[in-house]
Amino acid sequence: PFDCGTSTLEIKLDNASNVSSCAALDGSISVSATGGKAPYQYSLNGGAFGTQNIFQNLAPGRYAVQVKDANDCILTLNPSPEITSPSSDLTATS
């Protein structure tokens, strides 16, 4: 088995787009991987690994993004990206 401790696998955040409004689910995160052994697979919040490195239709929040290479080495993006919503001008009065 391959020693992942010696892997050159890296993951970087390419872009994180915030949602367009408080109720929207249109945030996105894109990442890229280098090093290690291609092909790469990506996972969001512990979901199944797949070939897509762009995650769309996201709600506001912090997301755990991982990459896995052909040696089955897994690396987590740190710090984890955060999707935010625009600030509101809404005020509460009593």
Side-chain angles (χ1 to χ4, degrees), residues 12-71:
K12 76 176 188 98
L13 177 67
D14 291 330
N15 187 50
S17 297
N18 294 324
V19 296
S20 59
S21 68
C22 292
L25 299 175
D26 60 358
S28 67
I29 294 170
S30 64
V31 296
S32 59
T34 57
K37 183 177 180 184
Y40 307 112
Q41 294 184 45
Y42 304 88
S43 169
L44 185 69
N45 287 348
F49 280 91
T51 56
Q52 289 298 316
N53 65 326
I54 300 173
F55 303 97
Q56 298 177 316
N57 304 318
L58 301 178
R62 191 167 290 281
Y63 290 88
V65 182
Q66 293 183 308
V67 62
K68 178 170 72 170
D69 71 0
N71 289 323

Side-chain angles (χ1 to χ4, degrees), residues 71-93:
N71 289 323
D72 283 333
C73 297
I74 297 175
L75 189 64
T76 302
L77 181 61
N78 189 17
S80 54
E82 183 175 13
I83 301 295
T84 60
S85 59
S87 60
S88 172
D89 292 333
L90 187 64
T91 56
T93 59

